[in-house]
Amino acid sequence: MSELRHMCWTKATRREAGEPRHSVAWAASRRAWFKVFDDRIECGDWTIAPASVLEAVLFETRQWFIPMFVLQLSTEDATYQFGFNPWCRVANHLFFDVDRQRVKMRYSPFSLALRIAVGLLLAYLLLQRFG
């Protein structure tokens, strides 16, 4: 039986790759425990063997003023992204090298349109109430 090295809560998706961004993939992402064992990583029903990881990148970014981390694991079959809170130091517990990159959080077209629509709705409601 393999020993559990680390466990923390995460949001995870297989529908994004590259630098992290706000998108519909993250809105509908999996919420689960990210578990690092001696011989594998588990997140829900996903199991990733260390030998299958072709590239591991830890993106360091900010959401507003709050630091956050997105770990991207690329295998032959899929690209996984896992979003972590600032207190989750997952890279310290992994059994392979991780490339670290500082990036700015980007927005997908869907995310931008949604933010504009919400802003316009709030402006309309404020004008109706106080205008």
Side-chain angles (χ1 to χ4, degrees), residues 58-122:
L58 183 67
F59 296 104
E60 300 176 24
T61 188
R62 293 192 175 275
Q63 187 165 345
W64 294 79
F65 58 90
I66 301 169
M68 59 177 282
F69 302 94
V70 175
L71 175 65
Q72 178 173 285
L73 300 179
S74 300
T75 67
E76 197 172 295
D77 301 326
T79 298
Y80 303 86
Q81 286 192 343
F82 304 93
F84 298 103
N85 290 314
W87 55 85
C88 250
R89 302 290 181 197
V90 70
N92 300 341
H93 305 280
L94 297 175
F95 33 71
F96 42 77
D97 291 332
V98 177
D99 181 32
R100 293 176 180 260
Q101 295 182 20
R102 281 186 189 255
V103 296
K104 280 191 161 189
M105 184 64 84
R106 300 176 306 135
Y107 296 89
S108 70
F110 171 80
S111 182
L112 284 173
L114 184 62
R115 282 170 168 68
I116 291 169
V118 168
L120 290 172
L121 176 63
L122 286 175

Side-chain angles (χ1 to χ4, degrees), residues 11-27:
K11 288 173 62 174
T13 184
R14 289 190 296 196
R15 295 185 289 164
E16 286 286 334
E19 292 183 11
R21 66 185 187 149
H22 296 280
S23 71
V24 72
W26 282 105

